[in-house]
């Protein structure tokens, strides 16, 4: 399964801090473990999870 130790795609590793890269990796692996054998779909799920997380952070009162 990719991304346990493999490098992440450049668009992730070049532009996101380590904590966000780890969240992306976790979401990607979770999507794979839930039966998404299509790697492209697992990437889409991981991006969607990150986007939703940051949307909810920006809506939360500080």
């Amino acid at each position: 399964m990719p991304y346990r130790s493999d490098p992440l795609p450049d668009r992730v590793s070049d532009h996101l801090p380590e904590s966000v890269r780890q969240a992306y990796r976790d979401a990607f692996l979770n999507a794979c473990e839930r039966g998404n054998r299509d790697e492209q779909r697992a990437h889409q799920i991981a991006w969607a999870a990150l986007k939703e997380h940051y949307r909810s952070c920006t809506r939360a009162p500080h």
Side-chain angles (χ1 to χ4, degrees):
M1 185 171 300
Y3 305 128
R4 290 219 185 265
S5 60
D6 296 342
L8 293 170
D10 290 342
R11 64 184 180 165
V12 175
S13 60
D14 290 350
H15 302 287
L16 302 174
E18 179 57 36
S19 61
V20 178
R21 288 189 298 233
Q22 185 59 48
Y24 182 91
R25 185 180 292 114
D26 292 345
F28 178 87
L29 291 173
N30 187 284
C32 290
E33 289 169 0
R34 292 184 179 266
N36 290 290
R37 300 289 178 216
D38 178 14
E39 188 173 326
Q40 187 65 25
R41 179 69 182 133
H43 282 295
Q44 292 171 341
I45 291 168
W47 275 119
L50 286 180
K51 285 170 39 176
E52 182 56 33
H53 172 75
Y54 284 99
R55 271 193 210 117
S56 66
C57 287
T58 59
R59 285 184 288 212
H62 295 290

